[in-house]
Amino acid sequence: MTPEQAHQFRDDVLNIVSQIPYGRVTTYGIIAAWAGWPSHSRMVGRTLRYTPGAEQLPCHRVVNKEGRTAPGWSRQRMLLEEEGVTFKSNGHVDMSRYLWEP
């Protein structure tokens, strides 16, 4: 990925995350695919973690493909529950109910 592509990827990721509806979630992999780099789901996570201003976006609505929240971010579950998102007994988001695909 060239520097120009990396900048475009970042912009695409932030744009997609900004569109995730209240009370819904999407995955790192879906975001990566929509940004045109389907094998770069980990880079989506890094983009959200290290881009200044990303904390103003609904980053809490991004989970992994099993519906697990980000490790080390205990507030993520609380933020999702405040939006009405429920979790299964294993602690994962019920993806069959809450998954959003742009």
Side-chain angles (χ1 to χ4, degrees):
M1 183 180 289
T2 67
E4 293 80 17
Q5 289 171 319
H7 289 301
Q8 185 62 54
F9 180 82
R10 180 201 61 214
D11 292 347
D12 290 345
V13 165
L14 299 177
N15 181 44
I16 293 164
V17 171
S18 73
Q19 297 178 52
I20 305 170
Y22 183 93
R24 303 293 296 273
V25 299
T26 198
T27 69
Y28 299 100
I30 289 171
I31 293 170
W34 275 91
W37 295 83
S39 62
H40 286 66
S41 57
R42 288 184 186 214
M43 193 167 169
V44 170
R46 285 188 213 106
T47 298
L48 296 177
R49 182 174 181 153
Y50 296 114
T51 300
E55 66 277 359
Q56 303 302 317
L57 298 173
C59 297
H60 64 283
R61 298 179 187 152
V62 182
V63 296
N64 80 359
K65 65 184 176 183
E66 285 89 31
R68 284 184 295 175
T69 57
W73 188 15
S74 57
R75 289 198 62 229
Q76 185 178 13
R77 180 176 175 140
M78 180 192 70
L79 291 168
L80 290 171
E81 287 176 332
E82 286 175 0
E83 294 186 9
V85 174
T86 60
F87 288 75
K88 299 187 290 186
S89 60
N90 64 1
H92 298 183
V93 171
D94 184 348
M95 299 299 277
S96 66
R97 290 183 64 189
Y98 299 105
L99 180 63
W100 175 75
E101 295 185 73

